[in-house]
Structures are given as structure tokens and as C-alpha cells.
Amino acid sequence: MRVFYVLFFLVFFISCKPKNELHTQQSVPNSCKYATGLAIYHYKNFSLVEVNKPWEGASKTYKYLLKQKNVQTPDSLKSYEIIEVPVQKIVVTSTTHIPSLDMLNKTETLIGFPTLNYISSEKVRDRIEKGFVQDLGTNQNLNIELALSLRPDVIIGYGVSKENPSLENLQKSGLKVVMNGDWNEQSPLGKAEWIKLFGCLYNKSKQADAIFKTIEKEYLKTKQLAHNTTEYPTILAGDMFEGVWYMPKGTSWGSAIMQDAHANYLWKDTKGSGSLSLSFEEVFLKAKKADFWFTSGQFTSLEEMDKANVHYKQFDAFKKQKVFSFGLKKGKTGGNLYYELAPNRPDIVLKDLVKILHPELLNGYKPYFFEKLK
């Protein structure tokens, strides 16, 4: 009964509520299950969205009120950034935002993006070629004048630190900016769950929830299938770049998927969500006999790897041609499809790994992102 009265009061007398009473009552649940940096609370005529970890170490919580047009804003929520929905024109700043637009059938709302060549989506590339999407420069140096002239309803931004002068200037100029922290999620399903933010922006929350539930179901089913096998192959990841070997830390998104594929990622016990920076000698001592090697994507053949570093061929995985890469699948202008789509579709990534590591499973499935290097 208490919940009923809170909701009744919201609908008819919301402007009279005491400050902060609405949100502290928690009269509706957070609709996000896995994402740690995103919380969404749905009410009748609006949704409250909170982004609390748009980058590692962020201390501020960004609060947004997404309301239907002609709906009065409660006095208790005036501290939230107010955005009218559904949005009709949007600018996004990371390729990881693109798949949500495609999956929700809202590709046509995209009007601007920094560095268009990075985009792999065929739907978006078609609109780029027709002149419907403008190039806004680079993320750290956005073309402010062009962005203002486009008059988007909202800009979806991301940052690696609190220093983001381009987004700050756009906000000061009156544009609405919503921070997106999908890249900072450590859980594979947590990353994918950010489609729910876009669902709110387009009044398509039910559709976004349904899409995510399908991804979740497929991911968990594949994980269970992998864990029914007795095989537990060892995994080496990454490769050298400018004298340093980079690979996922043990509590990162990449490490989690390898472990969910029932594989022994050799650096799974390290802490952190970013990348390890190791010497060749450190890696070789630990991973010389690793069963499989998943590279960073910078190589498209074993020959390229050999030319880059003659010592790569000393690894057993290289000798046995069990080296796999996501670098061969690119968009029309060279963008890496994995970087764009994989965070949104961890179910596909997991199926790829399970098929490679446990080939007797997933009969008839062909890996989508990963290919064996020859």
C-alpha cells in the first residue's frame, strides 16, 4: 500500500513533494541488473537516470531526468539535467554507442560523430555517404560551431577523466550532454546493459529491455554449456606495441569472457580493469606453452607477426597455428567491427571463444569476430 500511495502522489501532486523525498523513497526499483555505473528508475511520465562511473576514479554522479514533453518537472528534481524525450536528433561520441541506435531502429536520428571513418555499421555508413551524418572532428577537440549548428536534442559523451573541455563548452552553449560510461564496466553483461539508456532516450525502454534479455539469455546459456566440459585450455592474450606487451588485467571485461568460456587465462589473478604492461620476457616465461593465443587485433597473419617480432614464433601457440585475431573484420572505411559491436554483444564474443576453445560444442556455429591467423 505504501508504494501505491507514493506513486499516486507522484502523478497528481508531484510539484508539492518535499525536496528529495521522491528519490529517497526508492518507490520503483533500479531497472539495471548488471551495470555498476548506470541506474534507471522508471516513473509514469519520466525516468531518472544516474551515471556514477563514466570513467575510472570518477567521484561525481551525473543525474538526468528524461521526461515526456509538456510534463511538469517536480521541484524536488530540478537539480537533474532535464531532457525531453523521445529525442529526434542525436550526436554520439564513441563507436560503442552506434549498435544501440541500430538495434533500436533509430539509426536515422544520428546527425554527428567525431571521426566518421571509425564507424563500421553498414546502416550508418549508408547515411554518412548520403550526407546525413556530419564529421565533428576528434573527441578531445570537437567542432563546437558545427555541433551547435546541428542542434541535436542530446549529445552522448564519454571521457577518460574529468577534463573534457569540448563537452563542457557544448553544455555552456546550451546543448544537453549525457555521459556514457559503458566502456568502464567490467562485467560483459554490464556493458551490454547500457542499451537501456538509449531505450529511455527514445521511449523504447520495453524494446531495449527485450533486446538485453535476449543477449543475457544467450550469454548465460553459452557460459553454462562451456562449463559442462572438462577441457580447460590455457590462454595467452595481447602482443607487443612499442616495446610493451599489453593484455587484459584479471578483473577486466576481456578476462571475464575468457573465464566464462571455461578457459584458464594465465593472468586471471591480476587486479584491475585496464591493461597490464609487461615485458616480453615476463610473458614468455609464463605463456610459452599456452594452448591458445588471442592477439590484440593489430595483425592479420602469422607472417605479419613474425616480421614484427621474430620471437613470437617461439610460443607453442604460434608453432601450432592456434593464434586468433579480431583484426580481420573491418568496416568499409577501416573501422574495427569488434571495437564497435563486441561490448554490445558479449553473447557473440563468448560463442566465438567457446567454439574456438571447445570445438565439439556449438555444432554448426561459425565464429563472427575471431579468425585463425595463417
Side-chain angles (χ1 to χ4, degrees):
M1 289 296 291
R2 183 180 181 83
V3 172
F4 171 80
Y5 285 122
V6 170
L7 290 175
F8 183 90
F9 205 55
L10 273 172
V11 175
F12 294 98
F13 304 104
I14 197 162
S15 62
C16 300
K17 286 189 67 64
K19 186 176 181 180
N20 294 329
E21 182 181 347
L22 171 68
H23 200 43
T24 57
Q25 288 290 338
Q26 293 291 301
S27 53
V28 297
N30 175 11
S31 67
C32 294
K33 182 178 179 182
Y34 298 93
T36 60
L38 177 67
I40 300 174
Y41 304 92
H42 291 299
Y43 294 88
K44 183 175 181 180
N45 293 312
F46 58 87
S47 296
L48 303 182
V49 175
E50 297 184 352
V51 176
N52 58 47
K53 286 194 292 188
W55 57 81
E56 192 170 358
S59 58
K60 176 182 176 180
T61 296
Y62 293 81
K63 299 180 179 181
Y64 310 98
L65 189 156
L66 278 55
K67 72 181 187 69
Q68 306 303 309
K69 295 179 180 179
N70 303 318
V71 170
Q72 185 178 357
T73 301
D75 289 339
S76 60
L77 299 175
K78 290 290 179 65
S79 62
Y80 284 65
E81 181 76 23
I82 300 170
I83 299 169
E84 290 192 345
V85 295
V87 298
Q88 304 297 324
K89 298 191 297 182
I90 194 169
V91 166
V92 301
T93 55
S94 169
T95 57
T96 62
H97 306 159
I98 299 291
S100 291
L101 307 187
D102 285 348
M103 287 189 283
L104 292 169
N105 296 315
K106 285 297 180 178
T107 310
E108 78 283 355
T109 64
L110 181 66
I111 58 173
F113 184 86
T115 316
L116 296 180
N117 285 346
Y118 289 154
I119 298 175
S120 298
S121 162
E122 292 183 4
K123 291 181 180 179
V124 178
R125 293 240 59 90
D126 180 62
R127 292 187 58 77
I128 290 171
E129 291 173 6
K130 293 176 180 177
F132 295 135
V133 184
Q134 300 299 308
D135 194 320
L136 296 178
T138 64
N139 242 314
Q140 296 303 314
N141 191 24
L142 293 174
N143 186 326
I144 304 297
E145 290 185 3
L146 179 55
L148 289 171
S149 70
L150 294 175
R151 302 179 66 183
D153 296 319
V154 68
I155 297 173
I156 307 300
Y158 85 93
V160 295
S161 73
K162 64 180 180 180
E163 302 297 329
N164 203 319
S166 291
L167 293 179
E168 290 175 3
N169 287 335
L170 289 170
Q171 283 183 302
K172 290 176 181 178
S173 299
L175 295 184
K176 304 290 186 179
V177 176
V178 172
M179 297 303 295
N180 185 309
D182 59 357
W183 70 277
N184 203 35
E185 294 286 344
Q186 299 176 30
S187 156
L189 290 174
K191 281 184 183 289
E193 198 165 25
W194 281 75
I195 190 176
K196 294 180 179 180
L197 169 62
F198 292 91
C200 289
L201 290 168
Y202 291 111
N203 277 354
K204 286 197 165 192
S205 289
K206 288 184 179 179
Q207 185 177 343
D209 290 349
I211 291 170
F212 176 73
K213 284 179 181 178
T214 298
I215 294 170
E216 176 190 30
K217 179 181 178 181
E218 289 299 309
Y219 189 94
L220 296 177
K221 182 173 70 174
T222 305
K223 176 182 176 180
Q224 183 60 52
L225 180 66
H227 282 252
N228 286 336
T229 183
T230 58
E231 296 296 321
Y232 194 51
T234 51
I235 301 294
L236 164 64
D239 42 51
M240 301 287 290
F241 182 74
E242 296 184 348
V244 179
W245 195 302
Y246 295 100
M247 67 175 70
K249 289 184 178 179
T251 54
S252 68
W253 174 81
S255 174
I257 291 188
M258 286 186 277
Q259 293 178 67
D260 286 347
H262 204 240
N264 179 17
Y265 173 49
L266 293 173
W267 277 265
K268 65 180 182 296
D269 294 328
T270 58
K271 304 298 181 183
S273 59
S275 296
L276 293 168
S277 302
L278 304 172
S279 68
F280 179 90
E281 291 74 19
E282 288 177 283
V283 176
F284 186 72
L285 285 172
K286 192 168 187 175
K288 178 182 183 298
K289 296 185 180 296
D291 297 314
F292 293 87
W293 183 354
F294 292 91
T295 73
S296 67
Q298 64 172 312
F299 302 114
T300 59
S301 70
L302 295 177
E303 183 180 3
E304 278 187 17
M305 293 184 69
D306 187 33
K307 287 181 179 179
N309 190 321
V310 295
H311 299 296
Y312 284 152
K313 59 188 176 186
Q314 297 178 43
F315 289 91
D316 285 2
F318 190 100
K319 295 176 184 177
K320 297 176 181 178
Q321 296 189 12
K322 290 188 175 181
V323 183
F324 294 81
S325 173
F326 53 76
L328 285 78
K329 200 145 196 173
K330 296 185 181 296
K332 196 171 183 179
T333 53
N336 190 301
L337 184 62
Y338 182 87
Y339 293 142
E340 179 172 309
L341 183 58
N344 297 268
R345 293 302 305 271
D347 55 323
I348 298 177
V349 179
L350 184 59
K351 286 180 180 180
D352 279 13
L353 296 184
V354 169
K355 184 61 179 179
I356 292 167
L357 301 171
H358 311 290
E360 73 281 3
L361 304 178
L362 296 176
N363 289 330
Y365 180 79
K366 181 180 179 181
Y368 182 76
F369 293 115
F370 289 92
E371 295 184 42
K372 180 187 284 190
L373 296 187
K374 299 177 182 178

